[in-house]
Amino acid sequence: MVGQHHRLFDTESPHLETKFRGHTKPELDARSIHRKRSFQCLRHPVSPIDCSPNHTRGWSSALKYAPTRHSYRQVVNQYRKELSVDLYELTMSQVFWRRGMDSSATFSLFFRGYPKDRAYYIASGIDDALDFLEDFHFSADEIRAIRNVTPLSDEFVDFLTDFSFSGTVRAVPEGSIVFAAEPLIEVTGTLIETQIVETMLLNIVTTASLLATKAARIVQAADGRPVVDFGSRRTHGEDAAIEAARASYISGFAGTSNVKAAALHGIPAYGTMAHSFIQAFDNEVTAFAPYADEFPETTTFLVDTYDTLDGVRNAIRVAEQARSRGTNVNAIRLDSGDLAELARAARALMDEAGFPQIRIMASGGLDEHSISQLVASCAPIDAFGVGTRFGTSADAPYIDSVYKLVEIDGRPVIKLSTSKVTKPWAKQVFRRFEDGMMRGDVITRSTS
Amino acid sequence: MVGQHHRLFDTESPHLETKFRGHTKPELDARSIHRKRSFQCLRHPVSPIDCSPNHTRGWSSALKYAPTRHSYRQVVNQYRKELSVDLYELTMSQVFWRRGMDSSATFSLFFRGYPKDRAYYIASGIDDALDFLEDFHFSADEIRAIRNVTPLSDEFVDFLTDFSFSGTVRAVPEGSIVFAAEPLIEVTGTLIETQIVETMLLNIVTTASLLATKAARIVQAADGRPVVDFGSRRTHGEDAAIEAARASYISGFAGTSNVKAAALHGIPAYGTMAHSFIQAFDNEVTAFAPYADEFPETTTFLVDTYDTLDGVRNAIRVAEQARSRGTNVNAIRLDSGDLAELARAARALMDEAGFPQIRIMASGGLDEHSISQLVASCAPIDAFGVGTRFGTSADAPYIDSVYKLVEIDGRPVIKLSTSKVTKPWAKQVFRRFEDGMMRGDVITRSTS
């Protein structure tokens, strides 16, 4: 239980109001941006607009209400992923159902092209997607929710009550290297069962492949040095934190800081210490010493809270104490400043003090580009911790993933929209190697 | 139940192998990038490296195993968000516990600066963060997991078994406009209880504020036209899909395509139709007509599957049929091509045919920048659907959010790391308005 909730900007504690004359506390909420038009410091300005009076037509009114308060815990527990369906999957399905359209359809999930700098993908989330399909159905709770918030007919919702996925799936193995336009998953079944799974199938495979691909690039840049996932605090939600840990481990990371991911997926859990830990003590030596006592052998000292090289000297002092007790300090961590320069200076200090075995970990806004530079500069860094830029795939935060109808009742299907033409037929992919190198893929019509 | 799983790239179906001589099917997995070094088409190349022989030191071995297969469903259900804790929060806490360090600490959660183009934030996730804190404890399952995967001592894990959060929280209201360096949440309590909640507190508030801020920019650019969230298929996991719907509704979106978000948060659910729906029929007219039958009044026809203006003509034909039955068609949706040009042409066609009330919705890779241009060009677009670029906050996929120790036992705390200096003391924020416009904030030491 939280003892008390006070709110910054509180409008209900008048004693604060009188303290700073001439200032008032804001009573704004987000919606007031639009209602009051009182806020104009968007750096990409919206220019004044003078359009013909009829260019906007009425639309159902909105912008008025904040969402219902609904417990954060319930979001996780009450409904499963089946309900995270785009409404149109359900409305389209009702039309198929009403018309008795039970044709056999094949949908193909693939990536349209590459984001900047990318030239391959690591297909991931495949096993999760299969799990999702295998147990796809709506619970009584979910059916009730569908009845409440959608325009579906009662009869069709009755049909959904007994609905489960019974189609056929072909997919590449989890962790495969794949290229643009190649199918990762192909789903065959009735129009309804192949259409209704689209939203989450795309979500699962896109998220995991995005993160696995980013991780593979980072592992390649680190050129053999271990990399650990520190991204959980800034991934887009907790799902993504767990997926970042799992997908990156598949791509070659050494482990993760996320304890839940470690428990769920058997991934090694790693951790160092935070600046706040150092600050909770009088100085670095009194902070480092008890940590080394508590976790001999696995201790990594964060040395940049005040002055990095002083921090290294303090780490050495505590390592000497540990040595006198017969234990070792594992590593130091550099989290800011010129990492290459600081690593060289720290290495020299530790080697000189007789600690060549204490390793150096670097972190702080790293990605494959900065890691590649550090490695190329021969900075004596032994391991990397990557957080935000990895966990959000910051330079390329999405993949242009699609799930397209390619075959229906044995006839090919094609879409012609501008710059979005798709290839017909269910497909098979053949890969050619020469001297252990990939030489090219052939995408053909599937004959299986 | 899935009838059959076949895998593309399957290595166990030999009949496929013989069909294309000279090609072999790939047996790669992601880890082979590193083991075989057979894959070299990363566009940002890692240059050959010639460092001194000792520059890399041994680190615990890794890169060898894929994670344990663990059911996707269990990820949601077995453990709660408490377990998504960075390992170091727990190891640091064990040191505090062993030393009896039960000082009163205050941590401040704030955003360090602005990403490109941003000049304000919409604080969101605040209520969720309070929910999270209010019920913070570890279940028996979670305690078992901690015992299994962390180096914590049995005695400290026993302590965690009975642990709950009992600190004090001050926070801005959900949906507040906030600026860099201003606290969104301040948590006061013992060192352990304030430290142990860091990871998920940052995750919750950062994700929601990121999405709410992106949404506010889009709403502002749309200048009164409704905007609907279509992002679920490409957000980073399902958490983010739900959060995108909720945070964007707070910022002024009209609704979401995500049925679960609609059910959980009382947000209007919207949907149109997919290209696959059109393709499942012989032509556009036979596709549009049954949809209009099924959902009179709310039908939005997707017109760009083959040729956009032909699509508009077909929509008009079906609208005429609907009118003869006494019902209306709501809108058409443009999803590709030159949206401004096509909107003008479609508007002319529909006005000419006597359907000035049929509205035009635009979608397809939109964000505040493209919407602002469309609005400035006076394109007759009545509403926008935004997906990927909104749902991933594509131009700025993270916020430099931090959770910093600012006060301990009544004394101020400061961090001096290069370019990461923090301000001491618990804080209060006062906002000044003139003529309904924000004029400036004053951040002071909190005296409450």
Side-chain angles (χ1 to χ4, degrees):
Chain A
M1 284 297 294
V2 179
Q4 306 169 58
H5 281 184
H6 294 301
R7 291 181 178 258
L8 290 166
F9 294 178
D10 197 340
T11 54
E12 289 164 20
S13 52
H15 76 280
L16 278 176
E17 195 135 32
T18 58
K19 277 188 188 156
F20 292 78
R21 291 188 187 283
H23 297 133
T24 60
K25 281 162 295 156
E27 299 170 272
L28 282 180
D29 62 18
R31 291 177 305 288
S32 63
I33 301 179
H34 321 299
R35 284 208 304 265
K36 297 188 190 163
R37 296 245 149 231
S38 66
F39 187 69
Q40 302 186 339
C41 66
L42 191 74
R43 278 201 186 127
H44 174 76
V46 178
S47 7
I49 290 154
D50 177 18
C51 297
S52 67
N54 294 320
H55 83 289
T56 53
R57 285 145 217 275
W59 195 269
S60 66
S61 76
L63 317 190
K64 284 198 193 112
Y65 303 104
T68 314
R69 268 301 298 143
H70 205 289
S71 160
Y72 193 53
R73 303 287 176 167
Q74 273 175 279
V75 175
V76 179
N77 297 320
Q78 185 177 359
Y79 301 124
R80 294 165 313 131
K81 292 177 193 274
E82 278 84 340
L83 195 64
S84 256
V85 59
D86 280 332
L87 176 62
Y88 79 173
E89 322 280 13
L90 299 178
T91 53
M92 294 187 289
S93 293
Q94 177 169 321
V95 177
F96 294 146
W97 172 80
R98 182 85 70 193
R99 300 255 146 177
M101 292 171 68
D102 56 359
S103 301
S104 170
T106 298
F107 277 79
S108 190
L109 192 160
F110 59 95
F111 300 148
R112 267 209 193 103
Y114 300 106
K116 189 167 158 295
D117 282 336
R118 305 290 192 279
Y120 67 90
Y121 292 107
I122 306 298
S124 192
I126 306 294
D127 291 338
D128 292 343
L130 296 179
D131 277 359
F132 173 74
L133 292 176
E134 216 154 30
D135 185 35
F136 188 101
H137 69 276
F138 295 106
S139 71
D141 253 13
E142 288 146 14
I143 289 290
R144 247 189 310 278
I146 288 172
R147 252 188 240 287
N148 286 340
V149 305
T150 74
L152 300 185
S153 73
D154 285 347
E155 302 79 7
F156 180 63
V157 177
D158 290 343
F159 165 82
L160 288 180
T161 306
D162 298 322
F163 178 82
S164 68
F165 179 82
S166 65
T168 299
V169 184
R170 298 158 63 240
V172 302
E174 184 81 17
S176 303
I177 292 171
V178 295
F179 300 98
E182 293 178 350
L184 281 74
I185 296 186
E186 288 192 335
V187 181
T188 301
T190 65
L191 270 168
I192 292 178
E193 69 192 358
T194 51
Q195 181 73 63
I196 212 167
V197 301
E198 175 181 30
T199 309
M200 279 310 294
L201 215 56
L202 275 170
N203 183 297
I204 293 166
V205 174
T206 307
T207 304
S209 300
L210 178 76
L211 295 166
T213 304
K214 183 71 173 173
R217 292 170 54 79
I218 291 170
V219 170
Q220 196 170 8
D223 197 45
R225 292 160 194 77
V227 183
V228 177
D229 157 39
F230 287 170
S232 295
R233 64 192 53 201
R234 299 222 194 99
T235 58
H236 295 186
E238 194 210 10
D239 277 10
I242 304 293
E243 197 50 55
R246 180 179 172 279
S248 65
Y249 192 58
I250 288 177
S251 285
F253 275 27
T256 179
S257 62
N258 188 301
V259 174
K260 180 164 164 179
L264 283 169
H265 296 303
I267 302 170
Y270 285 94
T272 62
M273 60 181 57
H275 296 107
S276 56
F277 180 79
I278 311 292
Q279 295 171 306
F281 292 83
D282 287 337
N283 59 56
E284 283 180 328
V285 169
T286 56
F288 291 161
Y291 199 101
D293 274 2
E294 203 65 34
F295 302 102
E297 313 298 330
T298 61
T299 293
T300 298
F301 293 139
L302 179 62
V303 292
D304 74 332
T305 306
Y306 306 112
D307 174 274
T308 303
L309 294 184
D310 280 350
V312 175
R313 288 182 198 99
N314 287 329
I316 290 169
R317 223 175 300 174
V318 178
E320 280 162 352
Q321 297 167 8
R323 183 158 58 187
S324 72
R325 290 194 310 274
T327 63
N328 288 313
V329 164
N330 179 51
I332 62 165
R333 172 160 77 105
L334 307 171
D335 189 48
S336 58
D338 181 333
L339 295 171
E341 226 24 74
L342 290 169
R344 268 183 266 275
R347 184 74 273 153
L349 286 172
M350 295 193 295
D351 286 352
E352 209 173 298
F355 291 104
Q357 78 282 9
I358 298 183
R359 288 163 283 194
I360 299 177
M361 176 178 228
S363 60
L366 295 177
D367 63 9
E368 68 271 42
H369 303 289
S370 47
I371 288 176
S372 178
Q373 279 175 8
L374 287 168
V375 167
S377 79
C378 298
I381 293 169
D382 304 291
F384 297 99
V386 292
T388 304
R389 283 171 207 267
F390 154 64
T392 61
S393 189
D395 66 326
Y398 64 90
I399 300 177
D400 200 4
S401 57
V402 290
Y403 179 78
K404 290 294 171 192
L405 182 62
V406 292
E407 200 171 318
I408 186 162
D409 276 341
R411 67 178 170 85
V413 171
I414 190 166
K415 177 188 162 201
L416 296 171
S417 314
T418 315
S419 76
K420 287 182 179 177
V421 177
T422 57
K423 293 192 180 66
W425 298 117
K427 298 172 189 65
Q428 182 56 288
V429 180
F430 297 87
R431 181 158 293 169
R432 200 155 48 86
F433 288 88
E434 272 170 30
D435 307 327
M437 298 281 291
M438 292 182 198
R439 285 300 173 201
D441 282 3
V442 177
I443 305 175
T444 70
R445 180 179 168 191
S446 170
T447 53
S448 63
Chain B
M1 285 295 295
V2 178
Q4 307 167 57
H5 281 185
H6 294 302
R7 290 181 180 258
L8 290 165
F9 293 178
D10 196 340
T11 55
E12 287 165 21
S13 51
H15 77 280
L16 277 176
E17 194 136 31
T18 58
K19 277 187 187 157
F20 291 77
R21 292 190 187 284
H23 298 132
T24 60
K25 282 163 295 156
E27 299 169 273
L28 282 181
D29 62 19
R31 291 177 305 287
S32 65
I33 302 180
H34 322 298
R35 284 209 304 265
K36 296 189 190 163
R37 297 246 149 230
S38 65
F39 187 69
Q40 301 186 339
C41 66
L42 191 74
R43 276 197 188 131
H44 174 76
V46 178
S47 9
I49 290 153
D50 177 19
C51 297
S52 66
N54 294 320
H55 81 288
T56 53
R57 286 144 218 274
W59 194 271
S60 65
S61 75
L63 318 188
K64 283 201 192 109
Y65 303 104
T68 313
R69 268 302 296 144
H70 206 288
S71 159
Y72 192 55
R73 304 285 177 166
Q74 273 176 282
V75 174
V76 178
N77 298 321
Q78 186 176 0
Y79 302 124
R80 293 165 314 131
K81 291 177 193 273
E82 278 84 340
L83 194 64
S84 257
V85 59
D86 280 333
L87 175 62
Y88 79 173
E89 322 280 14
L90 300 178
T91 54
M92 292 187 290
S93 293
Q94 177 169 322
V95 176
F96 294 145
W97 172 79
R98 182 85 70 193
R99 300 256 148 177
M101 292 170 68
D102 55 359
S103 301
S104 169
T106 297
F107 277 79
S108 190
L109 192 158
F110 60 95
F111 301 149
R112 268 208 193 102
Y114 299 106
K116 188 167 156 294
D117 281 335
R118 304 291 192 279
Y120 67 89
Y121 292 106
I122 305 297
S124 191
I126 306 294
D127 290 338
D128 292 343
L130 296 180
D131 277 358
F132 173 74
L133 292 175
E134 216 154 29
D135 185 37
F136 189 101
H137 69 278
F138 295 106
S139 71
D141 252 14
E142 289 147 12
I143 290 290
R144 249 190 307 279
I146 289 172
R147 252 188 240 285
N148 286 340
V149 304
T150 73
L152 300 185
S153 74
D154 285 346
E155 301 80 9
F156 180 63
V157 178
D158 290 342
F159 164 82
L160 288 179
T161 306
D162 299 321
F163 177 84
S164 66
F165 179 82
S166 65
T168 299
V169 184
R170 298 158 63 241
V172 302
E174 184 81 17
S176 304
I177 292 170
V178 295
F179 300 99
E182 293 177 349
L184 281 75
I185 296 185
E186 289 193 334
V187 182
T188 301
T190 65
L191 270 169
I192 292 179
E193 66 192 1
T194 50
Q195 182 72 63
I196 211 167
V197 301
E198 175 182 29
T199 309
M200 278 310 295
L201 214 55
L202 276 170
N203 182 297
I204 293 166
V205 175
T206 308
T207 303
S209 300
L210 178 76
L211 294 166
T213 304
K214 182 72 173 172
R217 292 170 55 78
I218 291 171
V219 169
Q220 196 170 7
D223 197 46
R225 292 157 194 79
V227 183
V228 177
D229 157 39
F230 287 169
S232 295
R233 63 193 53 202
R234 299 222 193 98
T235 57
H236 294 187
E238 195 210 9
D239 276 11
I242 303 293
E243 197 52 53
R246 180 179 171 281
S248 66
Y249 192 58
I250 288 176
S251 284
F253 275 28
T256 179
S257 63
N258 189 302
V259 174
K260 180 164 164 179
L264 282 169
H265 296 304
I267 302 169
Y270 286 95
T272 62
M273 59 180 58
H275 297 106
S276 56
F277 179 79
I278 312 290
Q279 295 171 306
F281 292 84
D282 287 337
N283 60 57
E284 283 180 327
V285 169
T286 55
F288 289 162
Y291 199 100
D293 275 1
E294 203 65 33
F295 302 102
E297 314 298 330
T298 63
T299 293
T300 298
F301 294 138
L302 178 63
V303 293
D304 74 332
T305 307
Y306 305 112
D307 174 273
T308 302
L309 294 184
D310 280 351
V312 174
R313 287 182 198 101
N314 288 328
I316 290 171
R317 223 176 299 173
V318 178
E320 281 162 352
Q321 297 166 10
R323 184 158 55 185
S324 71
R325 290 193 311 273
T327 63
N328 288 312
V329 165
N330 180 51
I332 61 165
R333 173 160 76 104
L334 307 171
D335 189 47
S336 57
D338 181 333
L339 295 171
E341 226 23 74
L342 290 169
R344 268 184 264 275
R347 183 73 272 152
L349 286 172
M350 294 193 297
D351 286 352
E352 209 173 299
F355 290 103
Q357 79 281 10
I358 299 183
R359 288 163 284 193
I360 299 177
M361 175 179 228
S363 60
L366 295 177
D367 63 8
E368 68 272 43
H369 303 288
S370 46
I371 288 175
S372 178
Q373 278 174 9
L374 287 169
V375 168
S377 79
C378 299
I381 294 169
D382 304 291
F384 297 99
V386 292
T388 305
R389 283 171 207 268
F390 154 64
T392 61
S393 190
D395 66 325
Y398 63 90
I399 299 176
D400 200 5
S401 56
V402 289
Y403 179 79
K404 291 293 172 192
L405 183 61
V406 292
E407 198 170 320
I408 187 163
D409 276 342
R411 67 179 169 87
V413 171
I414 190 165
K415 179 188 162 201
L416 296 170
S417 314
T418 315
S419 75
K420 289 182 179 176
V421 177
T422 56
K423 293 191 180 65
W425 298 116
K427 298 171 189 65
Q428 181 57 286
V429 181
F430 297 86
R431 182 159 293 171
R432 201 157 46 87
F433 290 87
E434 274 170 31
D435 306 325
M437 298 280 291
M438 292 183 199
R439 285 300 173 203
D441 282 3
V442 177
I443 305 174
T444 70
R445 180 178 169 191
S446 170
T447 52
S448 63

